[in-house]
Amino acid sequence: MATTTATYAKGGIPLRNLPASSQAPLKGPQSSLRKAYSPSIDTLATKTTTTSSTVAPSSISTSRSLLPPTPPFLPTSSLQIQTAGKALFRLPSPLKELTIPIFSTETGRPVYLSVREKRSSGNCRLIDAESEVEHVLASTIYHWGPGKNPIMRIGEGESAEEFEIISKSMLSRSVVFSCRWGTFEWRYAGRKEKDEGVNTLLVLERVDNEEGRERVRVAQLVRGEETRSPGSTSSSAGNGGRLEMCLDDGEGKLVDERTVVSTCLVMLKKEVDRRRAMQIVMISAAVTGGVH
């Protein structure tokens, strides 16, 4: 564990300082993570508008009004994923970051660390940043080759749960997975769903029927000028942002936090892999064009 935090201390991204009240000393092997990152944490409120109509009610189809309105997403907690991702004009090499810290936006202290053993491997484990010993909360295993889905393992020992993260189709960036909490989908929100100042919005929804029509949003990763990681830009792939969550709908827990965090990191890695593949194609085209 000491080696892990030393790697972050030397190669981590510069962090903005929090107010003095948030600078509580860290315990255990994570004491090198004294600098805390605190971007603007103004909650992105769902915008609603009210319009009136002068048309007589009898002439309007009421079939839409009879449907229950989609409830607004009201996050109850949030984390900041800190990674610069992959810039557009770079060599297609693996990311240098071996440790990705995930911070609490309330305290500015690291809650989780996502750790890789070496640059050439995509396998990673999610650990408790404040644990005295390395407490593995989840791990992700990647297999090389087409059609090989990442394997997510939540927990350790005999009680651990394993499931695949499956791409919906060859042409879609969305993924689905089924775990003990149900079936979920990570997808990229459309332009109409994004608030002003948001470049990319990744949405995690629980899918409650086979047709996929009944959905409950449980988390979203917001990336924009105020929320993305320092050192990244709007064109960066796999860069971090603010992970907003609502894990309980008032009637019971929808999913646990470590499952949300771990699967979100898989989405960021997929972005980096796509960027590296595109960079390889660009370099190959340039070399081929130069030969002719």
Side-chain angles (χ1 to χ4, degrees):
M1 189 64 186
T3 305
T4 297
T5 50
T7 303
Y8 170 70
K10 294 178 180 179
I13 304 169
L15 307 177
R16 298 174 185 149
N17 291 325
L18 282 177
S21 60
S22 300
Q23 297 294 337
L26 300 184
K27 298 179 180 180
Q30 282 73 35
S31 59
S32 61
L33 289 170
R34 287 189 174 275
K35 292 185 178 180
Y37 172 60
S38 177
S40 171
I41 52 176
D42 298 330
T43 303
L44 296 176
T46 304
K47 292 185 176 180
T48 58
T49 57
T50 304
T51 57
S52 58
S53 174
T54 57
V55 184
S58 59
S59 64
I60 301 175
S61 173
T62 59
S63 59
R64 276 185 167 272
S65 62
L66 295 177
L67 295 175
T70 302
F73 178 68
L74 301 175
T76 57
S77 62
S78 61
L79 298 169
Q80 185 72 25
I81 299 178
Q82 173 97 337
T83 174
K86 189 76 173 173
L88 181 60
F89 300 105
R90 292 289 188 274
L91 292 175
S93 56
L95 294 179
K96 294 181 180 179
E97 298 171 297
L98 295 182
T99 300
I100 297 176
I102 297 98
F103 292 89
S104 165
T105 56
E106 294 182 359
T107 66
R109 298 175 62 177
V111 179
Y112 306 106
L113 298 174
S114 177
V115 182
R116 288 185 300 148
E117 291 296 334
K118 51 187 178 180
R119 289 185 65 186
S120 59
S121 174
N123 296 347
C124 61
R125 60 188 185 277
L126 187 72
I127 63 176
D128 184 349
E130 296 188 342
S131 177
E132 293 290 340
V133 295
E134 183 174 294
H135 180 203
V136 179
L137 303 172
S139 55
T140 312
I141 302 172
Y142 295 88
H143 298 284
W144 187 86
K148 300 293 181 67
N149 297 314
I151 304 296
M152 181 65 62
R153 182 180 177 87
I154 304 296
E156 288 187 294
E158 296 180 357
S159 61
E161 178 189 19
E162 288 190 358
F163 54 87
E164 286 186 87
I165 299 180
I166 306 169
S167 297
K168 288 194 70 175
S169 69
M170 293 291 291
L171 301 178
S172 173
R173 296 187 293 172
S174 301
V175 303
V176 294
F177 63 91
S178 296
C179 61
R180 68 187 182 92
W181 299 102
T183 299
F184 296 84
E185 177 181 340
W186 273 109
R187 65 176 179 85
Y188 287 83
R191 184 177 302 176
K192 294 182 179 180
E193 296 179 80
K194 293 186 292 186
D195 209 334
E196 185 178 354
V198 177
N199 298 122
T200 20
L201 183 63
L202 262 168
V203 173
L204 177 63
E205 296 170 319
R206 192 177 74 174
V207 184
D208 290 332
N209 66 350
E210 294 182 1
E211 291 77 17
R213 295 176 182 174
E214 297 179 11
R215 293 170 173 262
V216 178
R217 185 175 300 194
V218 298
Q220 59 184 24
L221 181 70
V222 184
R223 290 182 287 188
E225 291 298 327
E226 296 296 326
T227 58
R228 73 166 63 97
S229 294
S232 64
T233 66
S234 59
S235 63
S236 299
N239 58 303
R242 183 187 304 153
L243 181 60
E244 300 176 336
M245 296 168 287
C246 182
L247 307 180
D248 193 311
D249 62 357
E251 299 180 358
K253 198 167 186 179
L254 298 170
V255 65
D256 61 352
E257 189 172 89
R258 58 184 174 178
T259 298
V260 173
V261 173
S262 299
T263 54
C264 182
L265 291 171
V266 170
M267 293 297 288
L268 298 187
K269 184 181 184 302
K270 282 182 170 291
E271 288 186 4
V272 172
D273 291 343
R274 284 191 294 269
R275 174 60 53 84
R276 292 179 62 197
M278 183 184 70
Q279 290 170 338
I280 291 173
V281 171
M282 292 172 59
I283 291 175
S284 299
V287 170
T288 304
V291 171
H292 294 288

